[in-house]
Amino acid sequence: MKQISASLALPIALALVGAILILWAVRRLLRRSKKVPMHVQVYEGVSEVFRKDPEAEVPAEALVCYRAYRLYLYLLDDGLDKGVSNMEPAVVRDALPALEPLGLGDAAKEIDAFVGIYEEIERRTDVDESLGEEYQKTARDLDRRLYPLLREIPERLERYLGR
């Protein structure tokens, strides 16, 4: 009988350690999921409102948050060229004023200028190779210059909403 209980001790101990690790991981996951930043909560709330009614009225602070965070999601992940393409130039231009209260007015002007270049390239059907290369170089340069500023949008939104 002692041999059976001794041989079961190791598997039982390992099962207990495994159960404790699983409980710890679940607890940590639940604790982390409760800490959704305020700007993300506002963005998701406004997104839901606009899904139901695209013409809905939302508070000015919520609109700033929605537009700025949307720019962040599209332009930071995809880069300017693809981000503007995926978001549509008119929507990008509508969202740019949201960067002003965050202290990113200069970045908004540069993005607006790039959107103008993007629209011009899109209008032309006979874009020569050198113009395409110049456009790509401009996009890469702006991406490099604006990337650090765009990365600050979530932090700036938290400060803006915390006022």
Side-chain angles (χ1 to χ4, degrees):
M1 193 74 172
K2 285 187 177 184
Q3 279 185 336
I4 294 174
S5 63
S7 64
L8 290 177
L10 184 60
I12 290 172
L14 289 174
L16 284 173
V17 169
I20 290 170
L21 287 174
I22 290 171
L23 288 173
W24 176 78
V26 167
R27 184 172 177 228
R28 186 171 176 190
L29 179 66
L30 290 174
R31 196 176 328 140
R32 186 181 302 163
S33 67
K34 291 179 185 177
K35 294 182 182 179
V36 176
M38 179 60 80
H39 69 275
V40 174
Q41 293 176 34
V42 171
Y43 173 80
E44 289 173 351
V46 173
S47 294
E48 188 62 33
V49 168
F50 283 157
R51 259 186 239 118
K52 292 177 183 174
D53 180 11
E55 301 299 318
E57 292 284 327
V58 295
E61 283 185 337
L63 192 58
V64 165
C65 182
Y66 173 76
R67 288 178 172 172
Y69 195 62
R70 193 163 185 218
L71 282 170
Y72 167 80
L73 292 173
Y74 277 90
L75 301 183
L76 192 71
D77 287 345
D78 299 337
L80 280 176
D81 184 37
K82 287 183 182 173
V84 170
S85 174
N86 292 338
M87 197 172 167
E88 297 295 321
V91 177
V92 172
R93 280 212 164 104
D94 287 344
L96 289 176
L99 297 179
E100 194 69 40
L102 304 178
L104 296 171
D106 291 340
K109 290 175 188 169
E110 290 192 58
I111 294 168
D112 185 49
F114 177 79
V115 171
I117 295 169
Y118 175 88
E119 289 174 326
E120 182 61 31
I121 294 289
E122 288 294 306
R123 272 194 289 274
R124 293 184 181 190
T125 55
D126 60 341
V127 176
D128 64 17
E129 194 171 308
S130 64
L131 185 59
E133 288 173 13
E134 184 178 325
Y135 167 78
Q136 292 299 325
K137 183 181 180 309
T138 302
R140 281 192 306 273
D141 290 346
L142 274 174
D143 276 336
R144 258 186 252 116
R145 201 167 54 237
L146 294 176
Y147 184 81
L149 294 173
L150 293 174
R151 283 191 52 182
E152 293 178 10
I153 288 176
E155 182 182 315
R156 290 179 183 228
L157 281 171
E158 286 299 311
R159 285 196 309 258
Y160 175 76
L161 293 171
R163 281 197 256 160

